[in-house]
Amino acid sequence: GLLKVEENKRALMVTVNGKGKQVNFDQFMEHNRGTLGQKIFRVDSNSGYIISALSVNEENDIVCVTMQGLTVRVHVKDISIQGRTAAGVRVVTLRNENDNIVAIAQTALETEDDEEEVPTLPENTEEVSASSEIDKEVEGETVDSEESSSNND
């Protein structure tokens, strides 16, 4: 993948089998085109191949989606920062061996304070259903079907 190198961000990779790691961008050497690149992860039967790489920092979470439809939100701060040659850590524990990570996405950090509040109505207001208001409007504007058919004759 291609990542934008930004100050205070790191490269985060997650594999098909749920392993991942963060690597500081300064672990990579600058080089010119025509080179073979730089190794960042060893692909084997235990780790699998890399699903995606993201540029993240402590203010992010990642959401991992599995083949069987499970979505798991993981705090980036819970994934260890390692060197380029490190094997990585278990980011997501899959329920069975037939399941795989198929996608990851970056999202804002969610804290316990971010729980959604249900809006409440002020005490001096009433709840009115939308359908009852529509029924009242329709009743005032309805035309008897017999009247309209006799006018057309």
Side-chain angles (χ1 to χ4, degrees):
L2 183 65
L3 301 176
K4 181 178 180 183
V5 177
E6 296 180 66
E7 194 172 323
N8 299 324
K9 290 208 170 188
R10 297 174 293 279
L12 178 134
M13 286 117 337
V14 177
T15 68
V16 69
N17 292 334
K19 290 188 84 173
K21 67 179 178 177
Q22 294 186 71
V23 179
N24 289 317
F25 284 118
D26 62 5
Q27 294 279 314
F28 300 95
M29 300 172 291
E30 285 187 36
H31 56 89
N32 296 321
R33 49 174 257 179
T35 61
L36 297 175
Q38 298 175 43
K39 193 173 197 174
I40 191 168
F41 216 87
R42 181 181 36 208
V43 176
D44 60 21
S45 61
N46 191 27
S47 66
Y49 57 89
I50 295 174
I51 288 296
S52 186
L54 301 170
S55 182
V56 297
N57 61 20
E58 298 290 324
E59 298 171 1
N60 296 122
D61 283 349
I62 60 166
V63 177
C64 300
V65 182
T66 70
M67 188 183 311
Q68 295 182 350
L70 178 70
T71 57
V72 179
R73 186 180 198 122
V74 180
H75 297 297
V76 168
K77 62 185 176 189
D78 294 338
I79 303 170
S80 63
I81 300 170
Q82 301 179 348
R84 284 188 319 120
T85 58
V89 295
R90 175 73 48 201
V91 175
V92 177
T93 303
L94 300 170
R95 290 185 178 173
N96 62 48
E97 58 188 50
N98 295 329
D99 204 5
N100 293 317
I101 305 290
V102 293
I104 63 171
Q106 177 179 334
T107 185
L109 178 66
E110 184 178 274
T111 61
E112 293 175 10
D113 298 337
D114 291 343
E115 292 180 16
E116 288 186 30
E117 291 185 25
V118 178
T120 57
L121 293 173
E123 289 182 27
N124 59 353
T125 60
E126 317 179 5
E127 241 182 277
V128 178
S129 77
S131 63
S132 65
E133 288 296 317
I134 293 171
D135 292 341
K136 288 178 185 175
E137 290 176 17
V138 171
E139 285 176 9
E141 297 177 14
T142 56
V143 177
D144 189 13
S145 60
E146 291 178 17
E147 285 181 14
S148 62
S149 62
S150 64
N151 290 341
N152 292 337
D153 290 336

